[in-house]
Amino acid sequence: MQYDLHSHSTASDGTLTPTELVQQAKAGGVDVLALTDHDTTEGLAEAAVEAARLELELVNGVEISVTWAGHTIHLVGLRFDPNAPLLQQGLQRLREFRAWRAEEIGRRLAKHGIADAYVAARRLSNGRLISRTHFARHLVEAGHAESVHSVFKRFLVRGKPGYVPGQWASLDEAICWIRSAGGQVVLAHPARYDLTQTKQHRLIREFKDLGGAALEVISGSHHRDDNQLTAQQAKAFNLLASAGSDFHDPKNPWIELGKLPPLPSDCIPIWHDWNEAVMN
Ligand code: AMP
Ligand code: MN
Ligand code: MN
Ligand code: MN
């Protein structure tokens, strides 16, 4: 079975609609797909329709932005009830911050001589939430940089002209929102945060103490060595292991859908008990 428990659609910063994403995942050989858009569950209903049609198992997912010790951290929530009010109120708050942040990014870029970026990013987002990725795509189209990656480096990360510090959920809040909606919580791409080893361990310890279930051991955005290292951390902290491509864009994939390497055999997959009947 091919599990891919991290992916994006046009509901956040992906370029495929939920329907197209499900179709491409199915074509790539994915059996179980989680749609995990940033700070929204808006794409899940559409994805579910196509998944049912193609007999692909869709897992309800979301990727929540968190501020922890001054760093932006991402949590993936899986298998929750998308109608849970606490979760939806929390996500709504993050989207309100995103809306303000997008205008602020636009103002800061304008001061730096790049006019109209907000309007363009908003247009690219099609009236849905605005991510830095939308700004990056516009800045490439407008000729300010060669690639999305170089836009981030030159304009959108800490210390650069269009950077606006995050005011996201606390770790505690985001874990509560997912768990109170009946879901499981995964620390997304743990090797991608710029943390000292001491801080990284503190993050994993707090994550686990607050009820986190798994580390994303296999991530499309990890280097191969990172997968190994994260597998060791999952074992050391007695956490389950998840796997996801973090797919955004077929033109620019970290990794193709359906091509994730397997979890190391000594990891316990987060899905190990998903098919067990509930015994009362
Ligand atoms: P946001 O949540 O709006 O701050 O945007 C974060 C998103 O930007 C991530 O989920 C990635 O999709 C994308 N991103 C962050 N850093 C980079 C980078 N260096 N190159 C390309 N995309 C990036
Ligand atoms: Mn993204
Ligand atoms: Mn992420
Ligand atoms: Mn992601």
Side-chain angles (χ1 to χ4, degrees):
M1 290 279 274
Q2 267 280 351
Y3 286 80
D4 184 341
L5 301 179
H6 189 154
S7 67
H8 298 273
S9 75
T10 48
S12 65
D13 61 349
T15 59
L16 300 180
T17 63
T19 301
E20 292 164 342
L21 175 75
V22 168
Q23 289 168 349
Q24 293 215 7
K26 180 73 184 180
V30 174
D31 300 296
V32 182
L33 176 75
L35 174 60
T36 57
D37 275 308
H38 297 285
D39 306 322
T40 182
T41 60
E42 205 191 309
L44 294 178
E46 181 187 319
V49 170
E50 191 61 7
R53 197 177 73 81
L54 297 177
E55 296 185 356
L56 174 143
E57 189 180 331
L58 183 80
V59 170
N60 288 336
V62 66
E63 182 171 18
I64 301 186
S65 312
V66 164
T67 303
W68 179 83
H71 298 267
T72 298
I73 302 293
H74 286 171
L75 297 184
V76 162
L78 298 173
R79 300 183 97 216
F80 50 80
D81 169 11
N83 297 316
L86 195 67
L87 172 67
Q88 288 304 339
Q89 283 156 21
L91 297 179
Q92 173 70 28
R93 189 184 100 205
L94 300 186
R95 291 195 298 272
E96 281 161 16
F97 171 66
R98 273 185 183 280
W100 173 83
R101 182 190 69 157
E103 293 189 49
E104 181 64 18
I105 291 175
R107 283 190 285 270
R108 291 189 190 197
L109 289 174
K111 271 194 212 147
H112 192 69
I114 299 176
D116 303 327
Y118 168 68
V119 172
R122 199 179 59 183
R123 194 171 51 236
L124 286 177
S125 77
N126 277 316
R128 286 179 283 253
L129 64 76
I130 306 180
S131 156
R132 282 184 294 167
T133 312
H134 297 113
F135 281 93
R137 290 192 189 125
H138 164 65
L139 264 57
V140 173
E141 278 174 17
H144 294 287
E146 298 264 288
S147 67
V148 163
H149 188 72
S150 76
V151 179
F152 270 90
K153 250 171 71 181
R154 289 174 50 198
F155 299 105
L156 298 178
V157 294
R158 200 192 297 256
K160 301 298 169 173
Y163 179 71
V164 178
Q167 292 163 33
W168 305 114
S170 71
L171 188 64
D172 188 6
E173 283 176 319
I175 292 174
C176 264
W177 298 342
I178 298 165
R179 282 172 41 98
S180 67
Q184 286 176 291
V185 193
V186 180
L187 182 61
H189 42 66
R192 248 175 64 197
Y193 308 117
D194 195 14
L195 300 174
T196 61
Q197 200 187 40
T198 313
K199 257 194 161 176
Q200 167 109 351
H201 286 181
R202 208 179 97 213
L203 170 63
I204 298 175
R205 168 60 49 208
E206 284 182 29
F207 169 78
K208 173 156 175 144
D209 289 348
L210 290 166
L215 300 186
E216 198 170 60
V217 165
I218 305 286
S219 166
S221 71
H222 274 172
H223 298 289
R224 212 160 246 286
D225 299 351
D226 295 336
N227 289 343
Q228 268 315 321
L229 193 81
T230 311
Q232 284 162 15
Q233 288 173 335
K235 268 183 292 170
F237 285 87
N238 214 0
L239 285 159
L240 302 173
S242 188
S245 61
D246 205 355
F247 186 88
H248 286 74
D249 179 359
K251 287 198 214 104
N252 203 3
W254 303 105
I255 190 164
E256 307 273 341
L257 287 164
K259 294 280 189 323
L260 283 179
L263 280 176
S265 57
D266 50 353
C267 286
I268 305 174
I270 187 165
W271 56 84
H272 76 103
D273 60 357
W274 283 3
N275 291 322
E276 274 169 29
V278 180
M279 310 285 271
N280 287 311

